[in-house]
Amino acid sequence: MAEQRPSGGVEQKNEAPADSESGRASATAVRFAHDSEAEFARILDFYGVAWEYEPRCFPLRREEERIVEAFTPDFYLPDLDLYVELTTLKQGLVTEKHRKLRLLRELYPDVRIKFLNKRDYLRLLAKYGYGPPSAEAIKAIDRVLFTEAQLQRRVSELGAQVTKDYKGRSPLLVGVLRGVACFMADLMRRVSLPLAVDFMAISSYEGDKSGAVRILKDLDENVEGRDILVVEDIVDTGMTLNTLLGYLHARRPASIRVCALLDKRARRLVDVPLDYVGFEVPDEFVVGYGLDYRQVYRNLPFIATLQKDWMENGPWQMPGIVRPEKAPRKKKKSSEPTPPD
């Protein structure tokens, strides 16, 4: 992990143990001083936010060469370059912490630190795009694959590469609705070229064994002679994308490339060319950042997997989601004449 520390702090000796798989601190591996700290750490773990527990001690007052007063923030969030100090319920201690914080900000003006009570926990997460965890989301989500920070960094890298590859040209970005909405909005703002944007909507025939697709919304732009960049949220079997590419090639564009945020290569049936890929994902159902499950979870700022058990019964417990019922059998028409009233 890269060190991004302001000068003047004294490193603590009791570093938090790291999770063996991720290399990050884990709430289950740290002995916290207060339950509120453990609760906050669990929320950070849930959203995949890296943290360190009491990593630095800042000297506040010295007598000759001896430190007589210091302040140790509870958490440091490296991805946000932010220290967090949690309060207690005792007003006397809160007042003393405020005094120390004022002194710390005077001595270390470049240090970013937040003073939070319990009501502020979720507000902080929402401010930085992680959003408060609803009861339904906690039940449904198995684990976060890519945090908002990771998504934004990767989209910026993809935008820079597209800018380089299309230098001197004006590409037409073609998005496939609806899951691509978030990715397209972020990607197009990171391409430093004149460009145009258009969208298509494609649907597979339900129950059709041939896997044929139909165009629900066609392009408004004329693509003949133009450089097309197809923008996809996720590519799994590749069958739909293969059909789409054939459809676009028939319109004689100058070139066609594909940019996919997620590549689920484990499910690939048709070998389709992917020129730009954000992340490769395992063979699991993923939601968030435009991707949905029965039209929910599109607005999550991260990408996560869903619990398999929840996918069977959980959605029907959420407000606005209705379990589809079997269509009632049609009664056979009677050949007998209707008796008179």
Side-chain angles (χ1 to χ4, degrees):
M1 183 180 297
E3 290 290 330
Q4 299 182 32
R5 304 282 191 223
S7 60
V10 178
E11 185 173 357
Q12 294 289 88
K13 298 298 183 182
N14 55 332
E15 293 289 343
D19 180 87
S20 59
E21 294 183 1
S22 65
R24 295 178 172 179
S26 170
T28 59
V30 178
R31 181 175 295 179
F32 296 98
H34 302 283
D35 291 340
S36 59
E37 296 171 347
E39 178 186 352
F40 186 59
R42 284 193 294 270
I43 294 173
L44 295 175
D45 282 344
F46 176 80
Y47 285 106
V49 182
W51 57 270
E52 299 171 20
Y53 181 59
E54 296 186 343
R56 295 281 166 170
C57 179
F58 293 92
L60 300 180
R61 188 164 57 90
R62 298 174 184 267
E63 290 183 358
E64 297 179 352
E65 297 298 322
R66 187 167 60 94
I67 298 174
V68 296
E69 187 177 22
F71 188 78
T72 303
D74 294 320
F75 290 89
Y76 177 66
L77 313 183
D79 291 341
L80 306 179
D81 190 21
L82 179 71
Y83 288 91
V84 177
E85 175 66 21
L86 306 181
T87 69
T88 67
L89 298 179
K90 296 180 180 180
Q91 186 57 43
L93 294 177
V94 172
T95 302
E96 177 64 12
K97 282 189 176 182
H98 276 297
R99 183 191 68 81
K100 289 188 175 183
L101 275 176
R102 286 194 296 269
L103 186 55
L104 186 148
R105 286 170 176 149
E106 292 175 4
L107 296 174
Y108 308 94
D110 294 332
V111 173
R112 299 178 63 241
I113 185 168
K114 289 288 183 179
F115 188 44
L116 303 179
N117 54 41
K118 280 192 173 183
R119 292 175 298 178
D120 295 325
Y121 292 171
L122 298 182
R123 294 177 187 175
L124 174 69
L125 293 174
K127 177 179 179 181
Y128 288 99
Y130 295 99
S134 65
E136 291 81 6
I138 292 176
K139 292 178 182 177
I141 292 175
D142 184 27
R143 69 186 189 281
V144 175
L145 293 179
F146 309 110
T147 66
E148 184 188 25
Q150 290 175 309
L151 288 169
Q152 294 305 317
R153 281 196 296 268
R154 186 62 184 131
V155 173
S156 295
E157 293 170 355
L158 291 173
Q161 188 62 49
V162 170
T163 300
K164 179 181 178 181
D165 293 347
Y166 283 89
K167 184 178 180 180
R169 293 180 286 172
S170 300
L172 170 63
L173 274 57
V174 175
V176 182
L177 296 171
R178 287 180 256 177
V180 79
C182 295
F183 181 40
M184 174 69 92
D186 287 341
L187 179 65
M188 61 189 255
R189 289 180 293 175
R190 286 162 176 78
V191 176
S192 302
L193 293 170
L195 56 79
V197 175
D198 206 344
F199 292 93
M200 297 183 69
I202 301 174
S203 177
S204 297
Y205 286 113
E206 294 184 1
D208 190 288
K209 295 182 180 180
S210 67
V213 297
R214 52 196 173 101
I215 305 298
L216 299 180
K217 180 198 175 300
D218 208 339
L219 295 172
D220 297 319
E221 296 283 327
N222 180 15
V223 303
E224 185 175 354
R226 302 178 70 174
D227 295 302
I228 308 300
L229 178 61
V230 177
V231 182
E232 279 271 29
D233 53 347
I234 185 168
V235 178
D236 46 24
T237 66
M239 292 191 294
T240 300
L241 178 59
N242 185 62
T243 302
L244 173 62
L245 293 177
Y247 180 81
L248 292 174
H249 275 296
R251 296 190 171 192
R252 297 184 294 179
S255 67
I256 298 181
R257 291 184 179 181
V258 179
C259 179
L261 175 63
L262 303 178
D263 181 11
K264 191 182 290 188
R265 187 166 295 277
R267 290 180 55 85
R268 188 78 82 251
L269 297 178
V270 180
D271 188 17
V272 288
L274 301 183
D275 302 278
Y276 309 92
V277 175
F279 304 94
E280 187 168 342
V281 292
D283 188 12
E284 298 181 67
F285 201 96
V286 295
V287 296
Y289 197 62
L291 296 160
D292 75 297
Y293 181 72
R294 299 188 183 276
Q295 298 303 324
V296 293
Y297 300 118
R298 290 189 191 276
N299 59 325
L300 293 177
F302 50 79
I303 291 178
T305 60
L306 287 181
Q307 296 181 17
K308 294 181 179 179
D309 293 342
W310 184 91
M311 292 173 65
E312 296 295 329
N313 300 305
W316 321 122
Q317 302 171 11
M318 298 182 64
I321 307 298
V322 180
R323 184 191 293 270
E325 297 180 358
K326 294 182 179 180
R329 292 182 179 179
K330 294 182 179 180
K331 295 182 178 179
K332 294 182 179 180
K333 293 183 179 181
S334 176
S335 57
E336 299 179 359
T338 304
D341 294 335

